[in-house]
Amino acid sequence: MGFIGLYVLNTIFMLIIAIRDVRRPEKALNWLAIGLIFPVIGFVVYRIIANPLHFRKERLTSPNNVSDPLPNSFSPASSIIAQSLSQLTVHGIRRGRVQLLTNGIETYEQLNTSLQNAQSTVEVEYYTYRDDRIGKRMTDILIERAEAGVKIRFIKDGWGSKQFPKHEINRMMNAGIECRTIFPLRYPWIPTLTYRDHCKIVVIDGIEAFTGGINVGYEYTGLKPEVGFWRDTHIRLVGEVATDLRTIFDSHWHIASPEKLKNKSAQKTKQGIRNSSKPIIPTAKVSLSGWSEEWGAEFDAGVDPVSATESHHHAYMQTLESNPSIPTEVMRQAYFICLTQATKTIDITTPYFVPESDIIMALKTAVARGVRVRLLVPRHVIPKIVGPASRTYYGELIEAGVQIYMYEKGMLHAKVMIIDEEMAGVGSANYDMRSFRLNFEVIELLYSVDVGRELTKQFDRDLLDSVPLQMEELIQRTYPQRIIEQTARLFSPLL
C-alpha cells in the first residue's frame, strides 16, 4: 500500500474516531491528535483502549435504587449529595462504624487480626498482591483459616499482580481457597493491558470490610528503602455496609477467570464450614505473633504515630462501583456532584490528577461560590508521565483561587475527598480518565462529622510535609518543559 493509500486509510480511521466520540469533543480531539502523530497505529491503540468491554455483568445500580434520606442533623448540601447519588450506589444509604487507617503498618495489623478472627467467610480482592513479607504473612493467615473451615475466595488483577507466583496460588488452592484472576495476561487478549481491576476489597464474615488505597505489598509500609515513605489511607467498615462490598466482589467474581492447579493434587475437602448467612461479629483481638515487636524500631522511625487511631466512628455510608462495561462514568459523576454541592470547604488528596474539563470547572466554580478548595498532590509521581500532564492543569486552578500543595515527604497514594468537613469519599479511584473509564473502582462515601473532622486533621498534618505551589514556579518553567507537559497531556486518555 502506497503513501496515498495509507493517508486515505488513516483519514477514514480518524473520521470513525470523530463520529464515535462526537458527544465528547475533548476526548475525540485527543485521539485525533494521537492518530495524526501515529498514523494507523493510533487507531489500533484507540480500538484497544477506547472501546468499552463487552461481557455479561449484572448492573449494580438502578434508577429505582432509593433509600431513607440522611437525618435532619446533616446539612442540606450533604442531604442533596446523598439523594443525588442514591441511583449510583449499590444499596442506598447504610449505617455502620468506620475506623480510619492512615498508614500501611496499622492497616496490615488490623486486617491480619480481623482475618485471623474470621469464622465463616472471607472475600479478598486486590489490584496488587505481592509475594513479599507482607503478602506471605497474609497468605499464610488465609491458608490457616481455610484449613480451619473458613470459606475463602480470592481475586487478583492479572496486570497488577502479574508477579504473584503460580506456586503460591497452588498452595492456596490446595488449602481449599478458591482463586480467580480478572483479565489474566493470556495471548491474544490485548485488552488485559488496558482494563484493570483497581479495587482493594476484603470482606470478613459478611459484617466487616476493608477498602481504600492500600494494596498488599511491603512498599505500602513506607519502610522499603528503594521506595521510601508511603502515605496512604484505608478504612475498616463494620456493619451492613459490608454486604455492599460483598455484592461488588460477587459481581467481579462472576467475570473473573478461575485459576487451575498446576499439578493434579486434589484440593483438600473442607468440613464444617459455617453458615455464611449468620455472620459472626469479631470481638476478640488475636495476637499477630510479634508483628509490632519485629518491626517496632522501623515502625517508630518511619510512621507518624499521631496518625494511628483505634477510634470507631458511627457513619452513614454509600458504596459506589464503576467499571468499563457500563456507559455511566460513576466515579466522575459522583465527584462532580460532590464538588458542585460543597458550600464551605473541599479538600482533595490524590496521587494522579488528570481530570476532564467538567471536574476543572466544578473546582473553579466552587471557589467562585466562596468555597475554600485545597488540592494535595505528590511532588514525585509514578509513572513519571502523569506528573507533567498534571502540571498543565495547575495554572488555571491557581488563577481561579484553588490552593495546590505539593507533598514532598515521600509517595502520596491516598485517594480522599472531604466536603464541608461533614462527608468524605475514600476508595481506590483517582482523578484521571483511567479511573473514570477504564478501571474497576470502588469508593465509600461517608457521612459523619467525626469522620470528616478526623480526615481534615490528617489533611492538615500532610500539609506540614508539603509546600504550596505558586504561580511563579509554573511561570519559570522552560520551553522544553512546557512542550513535554503538553505532550504528556495529549496522552491523557492512556493515563
Side-chain angles (χ1 to χ4, degrees):
M1 182 180 295
F3 177 79
I4 296 178
L6 286 175
Y7 175 80
V8 172
L9 182 62
N10 194 61
T11 301
I12 294 173
F13 288 163
M14 294 180 69
L15 285 173
I16 292 174
I17 292 174
I19 293 171
R20 283 175 58 90
D21 289 309
V22 67
R23 292 193 303 171
R24 294 172 178 167
E26 186 177 69
K27 177 185 175 184
L29 287 173
N30 277 357
W31 280 112
L32 289 174
I34 293 174
L36 282 172
I37 297 172
F38 304 103
V40 182
I41 297 176
F43 182 77
V44 173
V45 175
Y46 169 81
R47 288 289 299 173
I48 294 173
I49 292 178
N51 284 351
L53 288 181
H54 298 287
F55 53 79
R56 297 186 64 181
K57 181 181 181 296
E58 180 182 358
R59 190 181 180 95
L60 300 182
T61 60
S62 169
N64 300 319
N65 191 5
V66 295
S67 60
D68 294 334
L70 290 175
N72 293 332
S73 57
F74 285 91
S75 68
S78 293
S79 298
I80 291 173
I81 292 172
Q83 180 182 4
S84 300
L85 294 177
S86 62
Q87 296 181 3
L88 300 179
T89 63
V90 176
H91 194 279
I93 294 176
R94 299 284 202 177
R95 289 181 292 180
R97 290 180 289 135
V98 181
Q99 180 182 2
L100 301 177
L101 304 164
T102 54
N103 61 65
I105 291 289
E106 66 172 344
T107 297
Y108 296 136
E109 283 204 340
Q110 181 60 67
L111 175 57
N112 286 354
T113 297
S114 297
L115 288 172
Q116 287 181 315
N117 283 327
Q119 299 295 311
S120 57
T121 61
V122 172
E123 286 85 27
V124 177
E125 178 177 354
Y126 279 103
Y127 172 66
T128 300
Y129 192 99
R130 301 198 188 281
D131 187 38
D132 55 18
R133 63 194 301 184
I134 297 296
K136 287 181 183 297
R137 183 173 296 233
M138 191 174 297
T139 299
D140 289 342
I141 294 173
L142 292 174
I143 289 175
E144 184 275 327
R145 296 315 298 150
E147 291 176 341
V150 176
K151 180 181 179 181
I152 299 178
R153 295 183 292 168
F154 174 87
I155 297 176
K156 63 179 176 66
D157 179 75
W159 177 259
S161 301
K162 61 182 180 296
Q163 295 180 344
F164 191 69
K166 182 64 178 180
H167 66 80
E168 285 297 287
I169 291 291
N170 284 343
R171 193 162 72 94
M172 296 168 73
M173 294 181 69
N174 277 319
I177 300 174
E178 298 180 71
C179 299
R180 295 191 178 186
T181 300
I182 286 189
F183 308 139
L185 299 181
R186 291 199 296 251
Y187 178 84
W189 198 12
I190 298 177
T192 57
L193 300 176
T194 300
Y195 302 106
R196 302 169 189 172
D197 177 13
H198 198 236
C199 299
K200 297 89 176 166
I201 298 174
V202 176
V203 183
I204 300 168
D205 294 335
I207 199 67
E208 181 182 10
F210 292 79
T211 192
I214 298 179
N215 287 291
V216 176
Y218 187 43
E219 65 266 34
Y220 294 88
T221 64
L223 304 175
K224 193 172 183 178
E226 57 269 37
V227 175
F229 185 82
W230 192 286
R231 169 69 187 89
D232 220 324
T233 298
H234 219 66
I235 50 176
R236 173 177 177 248
L237 310 171
V238 179
E240 58 187 1
V241 68
T243 61
D244 292 351
L245 288 166
R246 175 184 271 179
T247 298
I248 294 174
F249 179 93
D250 287 338
S251 176
H252 297 173
W253 181 260
H254 294 316
I255 64 173
S257 301
E259 292 283 351
K260 297 180 180 179
L261 284 171
K262 200 169 184 178
N263 53 44
K264 295 184 179 180
S265 60
Q267 295 188 38
K268 298 178 181 179
T269 302
K270 298 300 168 188
Q271 301 294 334
I273 296 179
R274 297 176 185 269
N275 188 342
S276 60
S277 64
K278 297 180 179 180
I280 299 176
I281 301 177
T283 55
K285 188 169 183 177
V286 180
S287 171
L288 284 177
S289 303
W291 180 293
S292 297
E293 291 80 358
E294 177 185 353
W295 289 355
E298 295 177 284
F299 176 63
D300 292 340
V303 180
D304 180 6
V306 179
S307 64
T309 174
E310 288 291 336
S311 59
H312 293 74
H313 304 297
H314 290 275
Y316 293 85
M317 312 174 201
Q318 290 177 314
T319 305
L320 279 68
E321 183 251 15
S322 67
N323 67 80
S325 69
I326 60 176
T328 303
E329 296 177 7
V330 173
M331 296 304 167
R332 178 181 172 189
Q333 188 169 336
Y335 287 163
F336 181 82
I337 289 174
C338 292
L339 296 177
T340 55
Q341 294 303 315
T343 60
K344 299 176 183 178
T345 59
I346 298 173
D347 290 331
I348 297 171
T349 302
T350 181
Y352 308 125
F353 186 77
V354 191
E356 290 188 278
S357 57
D358 55 348
I359 298 296
I360 294 294
M361 185 58 65
L363 292 170
K364 293 165 66 174
T365 54
V367 175
R369 296 196 310 272
V371 178
R372 184 201 67 192
V373 180
R374 300 187 294 182
L375 173 64
L376 179 61
V377 292
R379 172 73 72 179
H380 305 290
V381 185
I382 301 175
K384 292 184 178 180
I385 190 175
V386 178
S390 297
R391 283 193 291 273
T392 63
Y393 297 90
Y394 295 157
E396 62 176 310
L397 289 176
I398 293 176
E399 190 176 49
V402 175
Q403 302 172 36
I404 301 179
Y405 296 87
M406 311 298 290
Y407 188 81
E408 296 190 324
K409 186 175 181 179
M411 178 60 188
L412 179 72
H413 193 253
K415 305 100 165 47
V416 180
M417 172 182 61
I418 313 163
I419 303 295
D420 295 342
E421 296 188 12
E422 185 178 68
M423 70 84 59
V426 180
S428 64
N430 300 300
Y431 278 76
D432 60 11
M433 299 183 197
R434 172 165 291 280
S435 290
F436 293 159
R437 294 179 183 154
L438 302 179
N439 289 349
F440 289 81
E441 305 280 5
V442 62
I443 186 174
E444 284 293 331
L445 298 180
L446 311 170
Y447 300 86
S448 165
V449 173
D450 292 335
V451 171
R453 287 175 178 171
E454 187 172 337
L455 285 171
T456 301
K457 289 179 181 178
Q458 180 60 52
F459 188 95
D460 291 335
R461 284 195 291 269
D462 290 333
L463 292 188
L464 298 177
D465 297 312
S466 311
V467 296
L469 180 63
Q470 305 293 342
M471 184 66 78
E472 290 74 15
E473 181 179 340
L474 296 174
I475 294 175
Q476 292 172 0
R477 291 173 297 169
T478 65
Y479 184 74
Q481 286 177 321
R482 295 170 187 269
I483 293 297
I484 292 173
E485 291 169 0
Q486 294 294 342
T487 303
R489 180 166 174 170
L490 179 65
F491 289 92
S492 57
L494 309 178
L495 302 181

